[in-house]
Amino acid sequence: GNSFNGKILNDNGEFRINGRMLVSQYVMLEATGYYRNEVTGKNSNSELTLFAISDVNDRNTVNVNLLTHLEYERVVYLVTQGKMKVRKAKKQAQKEVFALFGIDASDFQNSEDLNIAGQNEADAALLAFSVLLQGDRTESELSELLTKISTDMEEDGIWDDAAMRMNIAEWSADADSAGRLAT
């Protein structure tokens, strides 16, 4: 029931909140701001809001990203309706989100630990995931897509929109053949 506001500290999107007064080890984060479009390499023209749920018991950093956002509603559903523990719900939701594009996330750390500028396989998967979802979409189109995916996955962990998945695959093939993904 408590709310803490933070301010972005640098161009990497890092922010800090004073969490000394937290009464729970779990936090629900909402981050709103401009972002770097990984397809164009430019800053977004408008803001995007992303969410995350994290166990901050043994951590000082939480990365809010597309994965944390897409797993958010699923985690809430699994905890409130499925009576699952948060840690287990997060693992299941993360696995289901990565499965959207056939990525096996069994050995990945938590989504809030991933960084698109990181050096490991999980970080690379986050970057690929971010590029695929961004595509040539505007910020509002990306936000709408994220809402549709998370709403569709909330109860069963499956994204049923085969037409949109095909659209994303076709965009990816076209962008790759044009050399756009190499940069």
Short mmCIF file of all heavy atoms in Angstrom, two decimals, residues 78-133:
data_model
loop_
_atom_site.label_atom_id
_atom_site.label_comp_id
_atom_site.label_asym_id
_atom_site.label_seq_id
_atom_site.Cartn_x
_atom_site.Cartn_y
_atom_site.Cartn_z
N LEU A 78 -1.25 -15.92 -11.25
CA LEU A 78 -0.80 -17.17 -10.63
C LEU A 78 -0.75 -17.07 -9.11
O LEU A 78 -1.04 -18.05 -8.42
CB LEU A 78 0.58 -17.56 -11.18
CG LEU A 78 0.60 -18.03 -12.63
CD1 LEU A 78 2.04 -18.16 -13.13
CD2 LEU A 78 -0.16 -19.33 -12.81
N VAL A 79 -0.40 -15.91 -8.59
CA VAL A 79 -0.32 -15.73 -7.14
C VAL A 79 -1.71 -15.58 -6.54
O VAL A 79 -2.03 -16.22 -5.53
CB VAL A 79 0.58 -14.52 -6.79
CG1 VAL A 79 0.48 -14.18 -5.31
CG2 VAL A 79 2.02 -14.81 -7.17
N THR A 80 -2.56 -14.76 -7.15
CA THR A 80 -3.86 -14.48 -6.55
C THR A 80 -4.89 -15.57 -6.84
O THR A 80 -5.67 -15.93 -5.97
CB THR A 80 -4.42 -13.13 -7.01
OG1 THR A 80 -4.56 -13.13 -8.43
CG2 THR A 80 -3.52 -11.99 -6.56
N GLN A 81 -4.90 -16.10 -8.05
CA GLN A 81 -5.90 -17.11 -8.43
C GLN A 81 -5.37 -18.54 -8.29
O GLN A 81 -6.11 -19.43 -7.92
CB GLN A 81 -6.39 -16.88 -9.86
CG GLN A 81 -6.98 -15.51 -10.10
CD GLN A 81 -8.16 -15.21 -9.20
OE1 GLN A 81 -9.07 -16.02 -9.05
NE2 GLN A 81 -8.14 -14.05 -8.56
N GLY A 82 -4.09 -18.73 -8.62
CA GLY A 82 -3.49 -20.06 -8.56
C GLY A 82 -2.86 -20.37 -7.22
O GLY A 82 -2.35 -21.47 -7.01
N LYS A 83 -2.86 -19.38 -6.32
CA LYS A 83 -2.31 -19.54 -4.96
C LYS A 83 -0.85 -20.02 -4.98
O LYS A 83 -0.41 -20.77 -4.12
CB LYS A 83 -3.17 -20.50 -4.12
CG LYS A 83 -4.63 -20.11 -4.05
CD LYS A 83 -4.82 -18.73 -3.48
CE LYS A 83 -6.30 -18.39 -3.37
NZ LYS A 83 -6.58 -16.98 -3.38
N MET A 84 -0.12 -19.58 -5.99
CA MET A 84 1.27 -19.95 -6.15
C MET A 84 2.16 -18.97 -5.41
O MET A 84 1.81 -17.80 -5.27
CB MET A 84 1.59 -19.93 -7.66
CG MET A 84 2.76 -20.76 -8.10
SD MET A 84 2.98 -20.66 -9.91
CE MET A 84 1.98 -22.04 -10.42
N LYS A 85 3.30 -19.41 -4.93
CA LYS A 85 4.29 -18.51 -4.32
C LYS A 85 4.87 -17.61 -5.41
O LYS A 85 4.98 -18.01 -6.56
CB LYS A 85 5.41 -19.30 -3.67
CG LYS A 85 4.95 -20.20 -2.54
CD LYS A 85 4.65 -19.39 -1.31
CE LYS A 85 4.30 -20.30 -0.16
NZ LYS A 85 3.72 -19.60 0.95
N VAL A 86 5.24 -16.39 -5.03
CA VAL A 86 5.71 -15.40 -6.00
C VAL A 86 6.91 -15.91 -6.79
O VAL A 86 6.96 -15.81 -8.01
CB VAL A 86 6.05 -14.06 -5.31
CG1 VAL A 86 6.66 -13.07 -6.30
CG2 VAL A 86 4.81 -13.46 -4.67
N ARG A 87 7.89 -16.46 -6.12
CA ARG A 87 9.11 -16.94 -6.79
C ARG A 87 8.78 -17.98 -7.87
O ARG A 87 9.27 -17.91 -8.98
CB ARG A 87 10.08 -17.52 -5.77
CG ARG A 87 11.41 -17.95 -6.35
CD ARG A 87 12.31 -18.50 -5.26
NE ARG A 87 12.43 -17.57 -4.16
CZ ARG A 87 13.49 -16.85 -3.89
NH1 ARG A 87 14.56 -16.98 -4.62
NH2 ARG A 87 13.52 -16.02 -2.87
N LYS A 88 7.93 -18.93 -7.53
CA LYS A 88 7.56 -19.98 -8.48
C LYS A 88 6.71 -19.40 -9.62
O LYS A 88 6.89 -19.77 -10.78
CB LYS A 88 6.78 -21.09 -7.75
CG LYS A 88 6.45 -22.26 -8.62
CD LYS A 88 5.79 -23.38 -7.83
CE LYS A 88 5.46 -24.55 -8.74
NZ LYS A 88 4.76 -25.61 -8.03
N ALA A 89 5.82 -18.48 -9.30
CA ALA A 89 4.98 -17.84 -10.32
C ALA A 89 5.83 -17.05 -11.31
O ALA A 89 5.59 -17.08 -12.53
CB ALA A 89 3.94 -16.93 -9.66
N LYS A 90 6.85 -16.35 -10.80
CA LYS A 90 7.72 -15.58 -11.68
C LYS A 90 8.49 -16.50 -12.62
O LYS A 90 8.64 -16.21 -13.80
CB LYS A 90 8.69 -14.72 -10.87
CG LYS A 90 8.03 -13.45 -10.33
CD LYS A 90 8.99 -12.51 -9.70
CE LYS A 90 10.12 -12.05 -10.55
NZ LYS A 90 9.79 -11.35 -11.78
N LYS A 91 9.01 -17.60 -12.11
CA LYS A 91 9.75 -18.55 -12.95
C LYS A 91 8.85 -19.11 -14.05
O LYS A 91 9.25 -19.21 -15.20
CB LYS A 91 10.31 -19.69 -12.10
CG LYS A 91 11.68 -19.44 -11.57
CD LYS A 91 12.66 -19.29 -12.70
CE LYS A 91 14.06 -19.13 -12.18
NZ LYS A 91 14.95 -18.54 -13.15
N GLN A 92 7.63 -19.49 -13.68
CA GLN A 92 6.71 -20.04 -14.67
C GLN A 92 6.35 -18.99 -15.71
O GLN A 92 6.37 -19.27 -16.90
CB GLN A 92 5.44 -20.58 -14.00
CG GLN A 92 4.44 -21.14 -15.01
CD GLN A 92 3.25 -21.79 -14.37
OE1 GLN A 92 3.35 -22.37 -13.28
NE2 GLN A 92 2.10 -21.71 -15.03
N ALA A 93 6.01 -17.79 -15.27
CA ALA A 93 5.63 -16.73 -16.20
C ALA A 93 6.78 -16.36 -17.13
O ALA A 93 6.58 -16.16 -18.34
CB ALA A 93 5.15 -15.50 -15.44
N GLN A 94 7.98 -16.30 -16.61
CA GLN A 94 9.14 -15.98 -17.44
C GLN A 94 9.34 -17.04 -18.51
O GLN A 94 9.58 -16.73 -19.68
CB GLN A 94 10.40 -15.86 -16.59
CG GLN A 94 11.64 -15.58 -17.42
CD GLN A 94 12.89 -15.42 -16.56
OE1 GLN A 94 12.81 -14.98 -15.44
NE2 GLN A 94 14.02 -15.78 -17.10
N LYS A 95 9.24 -18.29 -18.12
CA LYS A 95 9.39 -19.39 -19.07
C LYS A 95 8.32 -19.29 -20.17
O LYS A 95 8.61 -19.48 -21.36
CB LYS A 95 9.27 -20.72 -18.32
CG LYS A 95 9.49 -21.93 -19.18
CD LYS A 95 9.42 -23.20 -18.34
CE LYS A 95 9.60 -24.41 -19.22
NZ LYS A 95 9.45 -25.66 -18.48
N GLU A 96 7.10 -18.97 -19.78
CA GLU A 96 6.01 -18.85 -20.76
C GLU A 96 6.21 -17.66 -21.70
O GLU A 96 5.94 -17.77 -22.89
CB GLU A 96 4.67 -18.73 -20.01
CG GLU A 96 4.29 -19.99 -19.28
CD GLU A 96 3.16 -19.78 -18.28
OE1 GLU A 96 2.82 -18.63 -17.94
OE2 GLU A 96 2.61 -20.80 -17.82
N VAL A 97 6.70 -16.55 -21.17
CA VAL A 97 6.93 -15.37 -22.01
C VAL A 97 8.03 -15.66 -23.02
O VAL A 97 7.88 -15.37 -24.21
CB VAL A 97 7.25 -14.13 -21.16
CG1 VAL A 97 7.73 -12.98 -22.03
CG2 VAL A 97 6.01 -13.69 -20.37
N PHE A 98 9.14 -16.22 -22.58
CA PHE A 98 10.21 -16.55 -23.52
C PHE A 98 9.75 -17.56 -24.56
O PHE A 98 10.19 -17.53 -25.71
CB PHE A 98 11.45 -17.07 -22.78
CG PHE A 98 12.42 -16.01 -22.41
CD1 PHE A 98 12.70 -15.74 -21.08
CD2 PHE A 98 13.09 -15.26 -23.38
CE1 PHE A 98 13.62 -14.76 -20.73
CE2 PHE A 98 14.00 -14.29 -23.04
CZ PHE A 98 14.27 -14.04 -21.71
N ALA A 99 8.86 -18.47 -24.17
CA ALA A 99 8.36 -19.48 -25.10
C ALA A 99 7.56 -18.87 -26.25
O ALA A 99 7.37 -19.52 -27.28
CB ALA A 99 7.50 -20.49 -24.35
N LEU A 100 7.13 -17.61 -26.09
CA LEU A 100 6.40 -16.95 -27.19
C LEU A 100 7.19 -17.01 -28.48
O LEU A 100 6.62 -17.10 -29.57
CB LEU A 100 6.14 -15.47 -26.86
CG LEU A 100 5.24 -15.13 -25.70
CD1 LEU A 100 5.18 -13.63 -25.50
CD2 LEU A 100 3.86 -15.70 -25.93
N PHE A 101 8.52 -16.91 -28.38
CA PHE A 101 9.37 -16.94 -29.56
C PHE A 101 10.31 -18.14 -29.55
O PHE A 101 11.38 -18.10 -30.15
CB PHE A 101 10.15 -15.62 -29.67
CG PHE A 101 9.26 -14.44 -29.91
CD1 PHE A 101 9.19 -13.42 -29.00
CD2 PHE A 101 8.46 -14.36 -31.04
CE1 PHE A 101 8.36 -12.32 -29.21
CE2 PHE A 101 7.62 -13.28 -31.27
CZ PHE A 101 7.57 -12.27 -30.35
N GLY A 102 9.91 -19.20 -28.87
CA GLY A 102 10.66 -20.45 -28.90
C GLY A 102 11.99 -20.39 -28.17
O GLY A 102 12.91 -21.14 -28.52
N ILE A 103 12.12 -19.54 -27.17
CA ILE A 103 13.37 -19.42 -26.42
C ILE A 103 13.25 -20.23 -25.13
O ILE A 103 12.31 -20.04 -24.36
CB ILE A 103 13.68 -17.94 -26.09
CG1 ILE A 103 13.86 -17.14 -27.38
CG2 ILE A 103 14.92 -17.83 -25.21
CD1 ILE A 103 13.95 -15.64 -27.18
N ASP A 104 14.19 -21.14 -24.91
CA ASP A 104 14.22 -21.93 -23.69
C ASP A 104 14.92 -21.12 -22.60
O ASP A 104 16.13 -20.88 -22.67
CB ASP A 104 14.96 -23.24 -23.93
CG ASP A 104 15.05 -24.11 -22.68
OD1 ASP A 104 14.41 -23.78 -21.65
OD2 ASP A 104 15.77 -25.12 -22.73
N ALA A 105 14.16 -20.69 -21.61
CA ALA A 105 14.70 -19.83 -20.54
C ALA A 105 14.97 -20.60 -19.26
O ALA A 105 15.13 -20.00 -18.20
CB ALA A 105 13.70 -18.70 -20.27
N SER A 106 15.08 -21.91 -19.35
CA SER A 106 15.24 -22.74 -18.15
C SER A 106 16.44 -22.34 -17.29
O SER A 106 16.37 -22.38 -16.07
CB SER A 106 15.40 -24.21 -18.54
OG SER A 106 14.28 -24.64 -19.27
N ASP A 107 17.53 -21.95 -17.94
CA ASP A 107 18.75 -21.63 -17.20
C ASP A 107 18.99 -20.13 -17.04
O ASP A 107 20.07 -19.72 -16.63
CB ASP A 107 19.97 -22.26 -17.89
CG ASP A 107 19.89 -23.78 -17.90
OD1 ASP A 107 19.34 -24.34 -16.93
OD2 ASP A 107 20.37 -24.39 -18.87
N PHE A 108 18.00 -19.31 -17.37
CA PHE A 108 18.16 -17.86 -17.29
C PHE A 108 17.91 -17.37 -15.87
O PHE A 108 17.10 -17.93 -15.14
CB PHE A 108 17.18 -17.13 -18.22
CG PHE A 108 17.48 -17.29 -19.68
CD1 PHE A 108 16.64 -16.74 -20.62
CD2 PHE A 108 18.58 -17.98 -20.14
CE1 PHE A 108 16.88 -16.86 -21.97
CE2 PHE A 108 18.84 -18.12 -21.50
CZ PHE A 108 17.99 -17.55 -22.41
N GLN A 109 18.60 -16.30 -15.50
CA GLN A 109 18.31 -15.65 -14.24
C GLN A 109 16.97 -14.93 -14.36
O GLN A 109 16.35 -14.94 -15.42
CB GLN A 109 19.44 -14.69 -13.82
CG GLN A 109 19.67 -13.54 -14.75
CD GLN A 109 20.74 -13.78 -15.80
OE1 GLN A 109 20.78 -14.84 -16.42
NE2 GLN A 109 21.59 -12.82 -16.01
N ASN A 110 16.50 -14.32 -13.30
CA ASN A 110 15.22 -13.62 -13.31
C ASN A 110 15.21 -12.51 -14.35
O ASN A 110 16.23 -11.87 -14.59
CB ASN A 110 14.91 -13.04 -11.94
CG ASN A 110 14.59 -14.11 -10.93
OD1 ASN A 110 14.07 -15.16 -11.25
ND2 ASN A 110 14.93 -13.85 -9.68
N SER A 111 14.05 -12.26 -14.92
CA SER A 111 13.92 -11.25 -15.97
C SER A 111 14.37 -9.87 -15.51
O SER A 111 14.90 -9.09 -16.30
CB SER A 111 12.48 -11.20 -16.49
OG SER A 111 11.59 -10.98 -15.44
N GLU A 112 14.19 -9.56 -14.23
CA GLU A 112 14.60 -8.24 -13.73
C GLU A 112 16.11 -8.13 -13.55
O GLU A 112 16.63 -7.07 -13.24
CB GLU A 112 13.86 -7.87 -12.44
CG GLU A 112 14.16 -8.74 -11.27
CD GLU A 112 13.20 -9.90 -11.10
OE1 GLU A 112 12.66 -10.40 -12.11
OE2 GLU A 112 13.00 -10.33 -9.97
N ASP A 113 16.84 -9.23 -13.78
CA ASP A 113 18.31 -9.21 -13.76
C ASP A 113 18.88 -9.02 -15.16
O ASP A 113 20.08 -8.81 -15.32
CB ASP A 113 18.86 -10.51 -13.17
CG ASP A 113 18.50 -10.67 -11.71
OD1 ASP A 113 18.52 -9.66 -10.99
OD2 ASP A 113 18.21 -11.80 -11.30
N LEU A 114 18.04 -9.14 -16.18
CA LEU A 114 18.52 -9.08 -17.56
C LEU A 114 18.70 -7.64 -18.02
O LEU A 114 17.99 -6.73 -17.59
CB LEU A 114 17.55 -9.81 -18.49
CG LEU A 114 17.25 -11.26 -18.13
CD1 LEU A 114 16.33 -11.88 -19.17
CD2 LEU A 114 18.53 -12.06 -17.99
N ASN A 115 19.67 -7.47 -18.92
CA ASN A 115 20.01 -6.14 -19.43
C ASN A 115 20.35 -6.28 -20.91
O ASN A 115 21.21 -7.09 -21.27
CB ASN A 115 21.22 -5.61 -18.64
CG ASN A 115 21.61 -4.22 -19.02
OD1 ASN A 115 21.41 -3.78 -20.14
ND2 ASN A 115 22.20 -3.52 -18.08
N ILE A 116 19.72 -5.50 -21.76
CA ILE A 116 19.97 -5.62 -23.20
C ILE A 116 21.41 -5.32 -23.58
O ILE A 116 21.86 -5.71 -24.65
CB ILE A 116 19.01 -4.76 -24.05
CG1 ILE A 116 19.16 -3.29 -23.69
CG2 ILE A 116 17.58 -5.23 -23.92
CD1 ILE A 116 18.43 -2.36 -24.62
N ALA A 117 22.14 -4.65 -22.70
CA ALA A 117 23.56 -4.36 -22.96
C ALA A 117 24.47 -5.39 -22.28
O ALA A 117 25.68 -5.25 -22.31
CB ALA A 117 23.90 -2.96 -22.49
N GLY A 118 23.88 -6.42 -21.70
CA GLY A 118 24.65 -7.43 -20.98
C GLY A 118 25.42 -8.35 -21.91
O GLY A 118 25.35 -8.23 -23.14
N GLN A 119 26.12 -9.30 -21.31
CA GLN A 119 27.05 -10.14 -22.06
C GLN A 119 26.67 -11.61 -22.16
O GLN A 119 27.37 -12.37 -22.82
CB GLN A 119 28.44 -10.04 -21.41
CG GLN A 119 28.98 -8.63 -21.32
CD GLN A 119 29.21 -8.01 -22.68
OE1 GLN A 119 29.75 -8.65 -23.57
NE2 GLN A 119 28.79 -6.77 -22.85
N ASN A 120 25.58 -12.03 -21.52
CA ASN A 120 25.29 -13.46 -21.53
C ASN A 120 24.11 -13.80 -22.45
O ASN A 120 23.49 -12.93 -23.05
CB ASN A 120 25.06 -13.97 -20.10
CG ASN A 120 23.87 -13.30 -19.43
OD1 ASN A 120 22.83 -13.11 -20.04
ND2 ASN A 120 24.02 -12.95 -18.15
N GLU A 121 23.82 -15.08 -22.55
CA GLU A 121 22.75 -15.58 -23.43
C GLU A 121 21.38 -15.01 -23.07
O GLU A 121 20.59 -14.68 -23.94
CB GLU A 121 22.68 -17.12 -23.36
CG GLU A 121 23.87 -17.82 -23.93
CD GLU A 121 23.68 -18.15 -25.39
OE1 GLU A 121 22.52 -18.34 -25.82
OE2 GLU A 121 24.68 -18.21 -26.10
N ALA A 122 21.11 -14.90 -21.80
CA ALA A 122 19.82 -14.38 -21.35
C ALA A 122 19.66 -12.91 -21.75
O ALA A 122 18.59 -12.49 -22.19
CB ALA A 122 19.67 -14.55 -19.84
N ASP A 123 20.74 -12.14 -21.60
CA ASP A 123 20.71 -10.73 -22.01
C ASP A 123 20.49 -10.62 -23.53
O ASP A 123 19.74 -9.76 -24.00
CB ASP A 123 22.01 -10.02 -21.63
CG ASP A 123 22.23 -9.93 -20.13
OD1 ASP A 123 21.23 -9.83 -19.39
OD2 ASP A 123 23.40 -9.94 -19.71
N ALA A 124 21.15 -11.49 -24.28
CA ALA A 124 20.97 -11.51 -25.74
C ALA A 124 19.53 -11.86 -26.10
O ALA A 124 18.96 -11.29 -27.04
CB ALA A 124 21.94 -12.49 -26.38
N ALA A 125 18.94 -12.77 -25.34
CA ALA A 125 17.55 -13.15 -25.59
C ALA A 125 16.62 -11.97 -25.32
O ALA A 125 15.66 -11.74 -26.07
CB ALA A 125 17.16 -14.35 -24.73
N LEU A 126 16.90 -11.19 -24.26
CA LEU A 126 16.10 -9.99 -23.98
C LEU A 126 16.22 -8.99 -25.12
O LEU A 126 15.22 -8.42 -25.56
CB LEU A 126 16.54 -9.34 -22.67
CG LEU A 126 15.93 -7.96 -22.38
CD1 LEU A 126 14.40 -8.02 -22.28
CD2 LEU A 126 16.53 -7.36 -21.12
N LEU A 127 17.43 -8.79 -25.63
CA LEU A 127 17.62 -7.87 -26.76
C LEU A 127 16.84 -8.35 -27.97
O LEU A 127 16.11 -7.56 -28.60
CB LEU A 127 19.10 -7.72 -27.10
CG LEU A 127 19.42 -6.86 -28.32
CD1 LEU A 127 18.89 -5.45 -28.15
CD2 LEU A 127 20.92 -6.87 -28.58
N ALA A 128 16.95 -9.63 -28.31
CA ALA A 128 16.22 -10.17 -29.46
C ALA A 128 14.72 -10.01 -29.26
O ALA A 128 14.00 -9.61 -30.18
CB ALA A 128 16.59 -11.65 -29.65
N PHE A 129 14.26 -10.31 -28.07
CA PHE A 129 12.85 -10.19 -27.73
C PHE A 129 12.38 -8.75 -27.92
O PHE A 129 11.32 -8.49 -28.51
CB PHE A 129 12.67 -10.63 -26.27
CG PHE A 129 11.31 -11.11 -25.93
CD1 PHE A 129 10.99 -12.46 -26.06
CD2 PHE A 129 10.34 -10.25 -25.46
CE1 PHE A 129 9.73 -12.91 -25.71
CE2 PHE A 129 9.08 -10.69 -25.13
CZ PHE A 129 8.78 -12.02 -25.26
N SER A 130 13.18 -7.81 -27.43
CA SER A 130 12.84 -6.38 -27.52
C SER A 130 12.78 -5.91 -28.97
O SER A 130 11.89 -5.16 -29.36
CB SER A 130 13.86 -5.55 -26.74
OG SER A 130 13.85 -5.90 -25.38
N VAL A 131 13.74 -6.37 -29.78
CA VAL A 131 13.77 -5.98 -31.19
C VAL A 131 12.55 -6.56 -31.92
O VAL A 131 11.90 -5.85 -32.69
CB VAL A 131 15.09 -6.44 -31.85
CG1 VAL A 131 15.02 -6.34 -33.37
CG2 VAL A 131 16.26 -5.64 -31.33
N LEU A 132 12.24 -7.81 -31.67
CA LEU A 132 11.10 -8.44 -32.34
C LEU A 132 9.79 -7.74 -32.00
O LEU A 132 8.95 -7.52 -32.88
CB LEU A 132 11.01 -9.91 -31.97
CG LEU A 132 12.07 -10.81 -32.57
CD1 LEU A 132 12.00 -12.20 -31.97
CD2 LEU A 132 11.95 -10.87 -34.09
N LEU A 133 9.60 -7.41 -30.74
CA LEU A 133 8.36 -6.75 -30.35
C LEU A 133 8.29 -5.31 -30.84
O LEU A 133 7.24 -4.83 -31.24
CB LEU A 133 8.16 -6.82 -28.84
CG LEU A 133 7.85 -8.21 -28.31
CD1 LEU A 133 7.80 -8.21 -26.79
CD2 LEU A 133 6.55 -8.75 -28.88
#
